[in-house]
Amino acid sequence: MNRVRLLATVAFGATIALAATVPNTTFAKDKVKVGFVGPLTGGVSANGIGGRNSADLAVRLRNKDAKAKYEYELIVQDDECKPNIGVQAATKVAADKDVIAAATHYCSAVAIATVPTYHKFGLPVVVWGAVLPAITYGNDYKEVHRVNGTMINQNQIAAKFMRSLGYKTWAVIHDTTDYGKGHNEFFSENLAKEGGKILATFGVTSDQQDFTAELTKIKELNPDAIYFGGLTPIGVRIRAQMDKLGVDSLLQGTSGIVSDAFIEGAGKLAEGTVAFREGAPTEKLPGGKFFLENYKSEKYDNPPEAYGAFAFAAMNLILDTIEKEGPDRKKVRDALNKVKGVDSIVGEISFDDHGQNTVALITKYVTQDGKWTVWEDSEYASGKRKLARQK
Amino acid sequence: MDIGFLAQYLINGLMLGMIYALVAVGFTLFFGVLDVIKFSHGDVLTVGAFAGLATYLGLQAVGISNPAIQILIVVIIATTSVAGLGALIARYIVMPIRSAPPLNTLLITLMLGTVLRESVRLFYPQGANPQSFPSLLPTQSLTLGNFNLRLDNAIMLIAGVMVIVGVQFLLNRTKLGLAIRAVAQDEETAKTMGVNFTLVVLITFALGSALAAFGGVMNGLYYNEVNFGMGLLLGVIGFSSAIVGGLGNIYGAILGGFLFAGLQTIGAVSLPFASAYKDVFAFAIVIAIMAWRPTGLIQEKISERV
Amino acid sequence: METNENQTSASLWPALAGAVLTTVYVILLLKVESQTEVIGLLIVGAVAILVGTWTGHLARAGQTLAGRENILNLFVILGTLAMIGYFHEDHFILLLVATVMLYVLATLGLNLQFGYAGVLNFAGASFFGVGGYTAAVLGTHTAIPGLLIILIGGVMAALIGSMLLLPVLRTRGHYAAVVTIAFSLLFKVFLEVNDVLGGPQGLQVPGMKILGWKFNDNIEIGQNFELSFYVNYLVVILLILITAFILVRRLERSWVGLNLDALRLDETAATCFGLNIVRWKITAFLLGNFLIGVAGALSGMVIGFVAPTSFTFGDSLILVSIVLLGGIGNVWGLVVATAIVVIIPEKLQAIQEYRFLLYAAMVMLMLLFRPEGLLPRPVRQFFPGWRSK
């Protein structure tokens, strides 16, 4: 072997030896990792990004606080609002032993799929946006908690309210994830109790493009209102195609379409759409002003959207618990299970024996002039404007 | 069922069929001329739709707001830019590997489609989210009893028909069309007869891609929405329609497109739960047809050098 | 033969050194977290390969192994075990290693279909999904033991694949590819709209249990030593992978493989020689699907969850890209390509978003300039070691 080759080999060997000494990770001892999972891309990314910014705000405020015992790092994962990606993201966050707790999920379909994952790895989580009851009530796992409400109350109030306005017949369109199916179940149940009639129910996939078939059939049946259990992207399409086909029933949605993205997408057609959400609008929350002011001063590119305040509250709760109990998953989990009457920007948080917070207030919304307006404050309530088919 | 509703379904089906047919014609042109299945066609459609959207936004920014002018410029820019893209693809990607097994071409165009799709998703601002596409055509509707026809749907149908008729005319009555058909029939003889092979291929690809862009803009106008994944499904459906009609046969492609849309509409109407199953139904039919007639309903005449 | 004598006298040292270095490199790559370290390591790796090729070390190592594939296999197994041992507590890295191994298993199946029988299967992810869903349904509703579920998963994939047999057999080349593309799309939509199999929500997959030993529990040895529960799965996967690998290799070397090769290279000539094309195509297709199904069932159990969006056309394309990048017909190429495709985007967060784009672009370049792939399949060797001098 000639000289040059020999030299090259030696040099190369030395480089490898050098490279092998490179990885030595040293962390400042008092750094603590917390996680955030939400839909950062895809049709409902506005909500996910709003949630992430809010959680980030909580971490930043805490890191600025000189009295905090630890320095916090937010680990963010994108679940794309798809159950399988969510399970991957959850596995990543939960498998990392340095992450102590996480604020998780806006999409119910994802949250219900990841519950077993968090339990498998023993990571305590606080849900900030998913409303499906089964997430907390469907299991006995100590790891899962939730600060926002469930869809049960939403649909109870919705049925009562709509009947009180005089609507008699409905057609239901819902997406086929557990989220849409849950809404369908609870609304149908409550509507039956109130004496309303459902003329037809249609299940659609969460990325369906073309609703002309369903809407044409609905046109034949001519219901007073169309109940839509699903998220913003389909909501926008349904509204647009309703207009195309000349379907003039009222569009009634759930918390899934209470977002600026719906109004942006549907444009002028969004006017006069009714929806319901648990919790007060952010400005009216106990800590709402504080939250919004601080949010603005951090100059995020996107608004907090409907559930940003809950994400903030969830992350704050996690940080408070870690401060008290130290960075230990089991201790944090047990402490979270005992939370009762703790103050937060969304009001008092108390977890019941399934880790569920009670959010009693349901807000009724209607879109007016390009904004989601609280029903009582709107011109529809005072009678100046009328909803489609309102008696 | 009320005749009004039947008519409604009919119009829905026709619109779908028109879009599928436009894509299918593209596929069939490419296959006829170069014996290639250019699987990136659907994603070229997406690029066309987004190009149209970008043009519209640009026009808005510049201050041109007359919808008639807008739509004209949008269509022109979308189709010409994508036609250029098609020619580039032909020249640098498809033609160099012509001599390799056709599977390689399929693969490379499949990957190209992915590159196009991902590029839109990554590089167009907010590309991963569905984008709303403006309604540039008048939206008044004509209501006859239970039948509701919006003016923009009618205009699109007519425009689509005119484009297809135009393509027919080009292929059957002009010298360029003659050259294209000659190359499709027999490359070597066409060359001997003095046809500029490369030029004809480039023009054909440009033409097919322009058709796709037109279809993309139409799709955007119809659904008022474009998203980066729209091309994949449309591409496969367009391709299946072309197969069903027999690759290389324009009438077959158009027939296939409307047939496919018809199948989907019938599926959606008759199977009660099933508007969602209509895609499954349609693909299953495609697989069945390929099992029965491996080269399409209107048989391809193949001879192989053994 | 003369050449054989020369072979046995060649030293094993270059190969051993190579194996050790590779193992260390992979362990380092998996371990480091900061982006600069990752990029640094990748550059070192690229340079190492270039230097190795130039100084002739790589070629020499390759030669010593060419005749003795057993030793190569042994090195790889030892290296993998070393990796598992090193990362025994780190859940996520073990999951990565498991994913790589499962993809290798699946692409072995695809390779069988394409590299040996010339049938390109664009529905790889769908058959993978069949295995996963079988594991979900059988695991939740019946008491069938874990290993049997895996086998049944493979069988189901083969059965469903047989539905496609008629169209695939009757069509040639790109038409056949289209049939599988249509099936891939059909499969995903079918799962999404169908509530019986969980719909878009997917299904949870219970973990494997062998004779009462629950695979989803961490293994604790003594007070302080805890092994991640993924180690359970990894051992099983490794065993199955080794079996499949041996099977495929034997097949390749046997007269069955010879028939398949003839079939792929020139169908018409093969028919002239009296080969029954149909039978061999069916065998390759079904066997390939079986392997893919087994990988899918295992994957379902490891991840614990299956949903329609895990098995889209895009995922099938990734599997196809691996086969193309790795070199059609070359099983070691598959391992390298899979490792690149799975590990690097995980480590290099910056390119996570762009990974589909990158793979597609790489495959395109490959097809334009080097259609045989990264490690092209060498011409058939009738006697091991015969070719190299």
Side-chain angles (χ1 to χ4, degrees):
Chain A
M1 156 160 62
N2 66 34
R3 207 53 93 64
V4 179
R5 291 189 179 225
L6 181 57
L7 276 174
T9 317
V10 170
F12 160 67
T15 330
I16 292 275
L18 204 63
T21 63
V22 162
N24 51 12
T25 47
T26 48
F27 269 153
K29 272 304 171 180
D30 50 5
K31 251 212 169 112
V32 173
K33 288 198 216 174
V34 286
F36 175 84
V37 189
L40 303 176
T41 53
V44 289
S45 58
N47 288 287
I49 296 181
R52 182 209 50 204
N53 293 344
S54 310
D56 181 74
L57 179 66
V59 171
R60 272 186 213 235
L61 289 178
R62 183 69 50 137
N63 282 340
K64 284 196 207 148
D65 182 354
K67 285 186 270 149
K69 284 196 219 130
Y70 305 100
E71 202 190 320
Y72 295 95
E73 189 190 335
L74 186 65
I75 307 288
V76 176
Q77 286 290 336
D78 180 7
D79 65 18
E80 296 184 30
C81 201
K82 291 201 190 106
N84 66 311
I85 309 280
V87 169
Q88 264 177 269
T91 310
K92 247 191 248 194
V93 167
D96 181 349
K97 293 216 163 81
D98 294 328
V99 173
I100 306 299
T104 53
H105 302 309
Y106 168 77
C107 292
S108 295
V110 180
I112 189 75
T114 54
V115 164
T117 313
Y118 295 122
H119 173 67
K120 189 158 75 170
F121 289 101
L123 179 75
V125 298
V126 181
V127 176
W128 56 271
V131 296
L132 189 64
I135 295 171
T136 38
Y137 291 116
N139 58 70
D140 267 327
Y141 300 144
K142 300 202 214 107
E143 286 82 6
V144 183
H145 314 83
R146 174 161 44 188
V147 289
N148 60 302
T150 69
M151 57 168 73
I152 304 181
N153 290 350
Q154 218 188 91
N155 285 298
Q156 267 175 348
I157 302 284
K160 274 210 183 74
F161 179 66
M162 296 303 291
R163 284 288 291 138
S164 75
L165 287 181
Y167 287 88
K168 293 209 191 67
T169 54
W170 272 263
V172 171
I173 303 183
H174 68 90
D175 79 33
T176 46
T177 64
D178 279 356
Y179 176 72
K181 284 200 263 196
H183 271 302
N184 178 32
E185 191 192 316
F186 291 111
F187 184 69
S188 310
E189 226 180 85
N190 284 297
L191 193 63
K193 280 193 223 150
E194 300 289 331
K197 256 194 94 197
I198 298 186
L199 302 174
T201 311
F202 299 95
V204 298
T205 51
S206 42
D207 53 8
Q208 187 160 322
Q209 266 282 42
D210 189 300
F211 297 91
T212 46
E214 286 88 357
L215 289 172
T216 312
K217 281 208 203 112
I218 288 181
K219 203 173 164 192
E220 275 182 72
L221 296 167
N222 203 14
D224 292 331
I226 299 182
Y227 175 83
F228 171 59
L231 298 167
T232 306
I234 319 184
V236 169
R237 289 177 200 155
I238 291 185
R239 187 67 194 89
Q241 290 173 27
M242 272 168 67
D243 184 68
K244 269 206 183 1
L245 293 174
V247 176
D248 63 357
S249 318
L250 172 73
L251 182 61
Q252 171 195 343
T254 63
S255 51
I257 63 169
V258 179
S259 71
D260 296 330
F262 176 76
I263 300 184
E264 243 184 77
K268 275 184 272 161
L269 294 172
E271 178 72 32
T273 309
V274 175
F276 302 84
R277 192 171 73 85
E278 66 292 343
T282 314
E283 323 80 66
K284 299 207 179 144
L285 289 170
K289 283 219 178 65
F290 166 75
F291 170 66
L292 288 171
E293 270 166 20
N294 277 294
Y295 193 93
K296 225 188 276 201
S297 65
E298 290 288 339
K299 298 213 181 30
Y300 293 109
D301 280 332
N302 303 74
E305 281 280 3
Y307 285 89
F310 285 102
F312 183 85
M315 185 49 72
N316 246 349
L317 186 61
I318 290 177
L319 296 173
D320 284 339
T321 318
I322 296 182
E323 290 280 314
K324 256 191 269 158
E325 306 284 336
D328 178 313
R329 282 189 183 182
K330 287 208 177 70
K331 290 206 189 123
V332 169
R333 179 197 69 190
D334 293 332
L336 280 175
N337 282 331
K338 297 203 201 97
V339 163
K340 290 264 185 293
V342 170
D343 258 330
S344 81
I345 65 162
V346 298
E348 263 192 23
I349 300 183
S350 300
F351 289 141
D352 66 11
D353 56 350
H354 275 94
Q356 177 66 50
N357 183 23
T358 354
V359 178
L361 176 65
I362 302 289
T363 314
K364 316 179 198 72
Y365 286 95
V366 62
T367 44
Q368 180 176 297
D369 296 330
K371 277 192 71 200
W372 282 106
T373 319
V374 178
W375 172 261
E376 286 78 8
D377 301 336
S378 75
E379 295 186 3
Y380 291 93
S382 58
K384 280 207 223 138
R385 300 193 203 188
K386 268 208 167 269
L387 294 171
R389 303 281 190 105
Q390 187 174 2
K391 310 272 186 321
Chain B
M1 195 192 297
D2 194 314
I3 188 95
F5 289 116
L6 273 179
Q8 190 76 66
Y9 283 120
L10 187 64
I11 296 284
N12 298 343
L14 282 178
M15 280 302 307
L16 270 184
M18 180 68 60
I19 298 179
Y20 295 159
L22 283 173
V23 181
V25 165
F27 269 114
T28 233
L29 276 177
F30 301 148
F31 189 79
V33 161
L34 264 194
D35 260 338
V36 299
I37 297 185
K38 181 169 160 275
F39 231 88
S40 52
H41 199 48
D43 300 289
V44 163
L45 182 147
T46 312
V47 173
F50 273 85
L53 182 60
T55 315
Y56 169 75
L57 292 173
L59 287 177
Q60 287 284 65
V62 173
I64 303 178
S65 55
N66 182 331
I69 300 186
Q70 280 180 330
I71 191 160
L72 212 56
I73 298 187
V74 162
V75 169
I76 292 179
I77 295 196
T79 45
T80 43
S81 58
V82 171
L85 179 65
L88 280 175
I89 293 177
R91 180 76 185 76
Y92 291 110
I93 298 185
V94 177
M95 286 190 71
I97 59 172
R98 257 188 327 133
S99 40
L103 202 53
N104 283 26
T105 316
L106 177 68
L107 276 166
I108 208 176
T109 52
L110 207 55
M111 295 300 161
L112 176 66
T114 308
V115 168
L116 287 173
R117 195 175 341 128
E118 290 292 308
S119 304
V120 169
R121 182 176 79 93
L122 293 165
F123 301 127
Y124 191 87
Q126 296 270 322
N129 298 341
Q131 311 279 337
S132 62
F133 198 90
S135 307
L136 295 172
L137 294 172
T139 55
Q140 297 93 311
S141 13
L142 179 66
T143 318
L144 294 166
N146 285 321
F147 173 62
N148 192 54
L149 178 64
R150 280 206 349 180
L151 211 50
D152 56 1
N153 284 355
I155 294 182
M156 281 195 279
L157 267 178
I158 298 177
V161 169
M162 275 171 36
V163 164
I164 293 190
V165 167
V167 169
Q168 281 289 53
F169 185 81
L170 179 75
L171 285 177
N172 291 329
R173 300 287 171 90
T174 64
K175 224 167 162 199
L176 176 63
L178 190 58
I180 295 179
R181 279 184 294 135
V183 167
Q185 270 196 350
D186 192 328
E187 176 189 326
E188 284 176 14
T189 316
K191 280 195 206 169
T192 339
M193 290 290 168
V195 172
N196 184 338
F197 180 68
T198 313
L199 189 63
V200 167
V201 168
L202 289 182
I203 292 184
T204 315
F205 268 70
L207 180 63
S209 306
L211 281 177
F214 186 75
V217 172
M218 257 178 60
N219 198 314
L221 286 171
Y222 184 55
Y223 287 113
N224 281 122
E225 184 185 303
V226 290
N227 69 77
F228 75 97
M230 63 197 279
L232 182 58
L233 201 59
L234 280 176
V236 176
I237 294 183
F239 177 66
S240 313
S241 315
I243 294 256
V244 161
L247 276 178
N249 184 321
I250 301 255
Y251 293 112
I254 300 175
L255 172 70
F258 282 101
L259 190 64
F260 208 93
L263 277 175
Q264 284 198 322
T265 316
I266 293 180
V269 172
S270 49
L271 306 168
F273 39 90
S275 156
Y277 272 98
K278 66 176 194 261
D279 283 333
V280 177
F281 186 56
F283 285 128
I285 299 274
V286 167
I287 295 182
I289 290 185
M290 301 242 2
W292 174 43
R293 293 273 191 102
T295 49
L297 280 182
I298 306 179
Q299 295 275 31
E300 180 186 325
K301 297 191 186 64
I302 24 167
S303 63
E304 257 176 62
R305 287 241 178 84
V306 177
Chain C
M1 277 207 272
E2 259 184 35
T3 40
N4 262 345
E5 284 168 22
N6 283 343
Q7 282 301 342
T8 46
S9 63
S11 156
L12 270 183
W13 287 116
L16 186 57
V20 170
L21 278 177
T22 319
T23 313
V24 170
Y25 180 74
V26 175
I27 290 184
L28 281 178
L29 190 60
L30 286 174
K31 186 169 151 61
V32 299
E33 300 218 336
S34 102
Q35 295 294 280
T36 36
E37 287 169 350
V38 173
I39 297 183
L41 264 183
L42 284 176
I43 296 181
V44 166
V47 166
I49 295 183
L50 285 173
V51 168
T53 323
W54 184 58
T55 55
H57 284 308
L58 265 187
R60 207 164 300 128
Q63 270 175 9
T64 54
L65 290 174
R68 286 173 291 190
E69 193 162 350
N70 296 333
I71 309 245
L72 177 57
N73 293 345
L74 194 61
F75 280 163
V76 171
I77 295 178
L78 285 177
T80 316
L81 286 174
M83 264 196 289
I84 297 179
Y86 187 81
F87 289 116
H88 59 265
E89 273 195 333
D90 201 322
H91 293 300
F92 195 66
I93 296 190
L94 287 179
L95 182 58
L96 262 187
V97 174
T99 312
V100 170
M101 284 169 37
L102 286 172
Y103 272 34
V104 170
L105 186 56
T107 45
L108 266 181
L110 274 181
N111 195 36
L112 196 59
Q113 293 173 330
F114 185 53
Y116 299 156
V119 175
L120 190 47
N121 186 349
F122 280 104
S126 307
F127 292 111
F128 199 76
V130 169
Y133 269 90
T134 313
V137 171
L138 289 181
T140 327
H141 295 289
T142 65
I144 301 182
L147 287 176
L148 203 52
I149 293 186
I150 297 177
L151 278 176
I152 299 183
V155 170
M156 286 300 298
L159 271 179
I160 295 192
S162 63
M163 285 190 332
L164 286 185
L165 269 182
L166 190 58
V168 164
L169 287 176
R170 290 196 60 169
T171 53
R172 295 272 195 88
H174 43 205
Y175 287 106
V178 170
V179 170
T180 51
I181 294 178
F183 181 71
S184 169
L185 291 165
L186 185 156
F187 185 75
K188 172 182 175 261
V189 178
F190 179 74
L191 282 177
E192 262 189 346
V193 299
N194 187 327
D195 266 344
V196 174
L197 290 171
Q201 197 55 50
L203 293 173
Q204 299 282 344
V205 184
M208 185 142 76
K209 282 201 265 280
I210 297 190
L211 299 177
W213 178 323
K214 284 206 201 131
F215 270 46
N216 269 6
D217 289 333
N218 291 336
I219 311 172
E220 278 160 43
I221 303 180
Q223 274 289 34
N224 295 321
F225 196 64
E226 200 185 67
L227 291 175
S228 157
F229 64 94
Y230 283 124
V231 173
N232 295 324
Y233 286 109
L234 276 170
V235 171
V236 172
I237 296 176
L238 190 58
L239 288 172
I240 294 187
L241 189 56
I242 293 176
T243 319
F245 194 78
I246 296 180
L247 177 69
V248 169
R249 265 309 203 211
R250 289 250 176 275
L251 209 64
E252 184 193 353
R253 295 256 161 80
S254 72
W255 56 280
V256 176
L258 194 52
N259 280 334
L260 290 175
D261 266 344
L263 179 59
R264 185 188 82 250
L265 288 171
D266 194 332
E267 259 185 50
T268 326
T271 338
C272 293
F273 273 87
L275 289 179
N276 187 339
I277 305 186
V278 175
R279 188 204 302 170
W280 293 121
K281 262 192 176 171
I282 295 182
T283 315
F285 192 67
L286 291 182
L287 194 55
N289 277 349
F290 177 77
L291 286 176
I292 300 178
V294 166
L298 277 168
S299 168
M301 289 182 177
V302 170
I303 300 184
F305 183 75
V306 285
T309 39
S310 317
F311 311 115
T312 62
F313 183 60
D315 297 296
S316 293
L317 279 185
I318 289 193
L319 289 174
V320 168
S321 315
I322 295 179
V323 174
L324 289 173
L325 285 175
I328 303 169
N330 185 321
V331 286
W332 292 116
L334 286 180
V335 177
V336 175
T338 313
I340 295 181
V341 164
V342 173
I343 297 186
I344 296 192
E346 274 302 328
K347 282 296 163 182
L348 213 53
Q349 284 302 323
I351 72 170
Q352 257 268 16
E353 283 271 306
Y354 298 85
R355 62 187 201 280
F356 280 164
L357 181 63
L358 282 177
Y359 300 153
M362 282 203 301
V363 173
M364 276 173 65
L365 289 173
M366 197 68 82
L367 282 171
L368 279 174
F369 301 115
R370 195 181 155 91
E372 325 85 58
L374 273 178
L375 295 176
R377 180 167 169 215
V379 174
R380 170 174 288 276
Q381 294 193 326
F382 287 99
F383 301 101
W386 177 47
R387 281 257 148 191
S388 49
K389 279 173 230 158

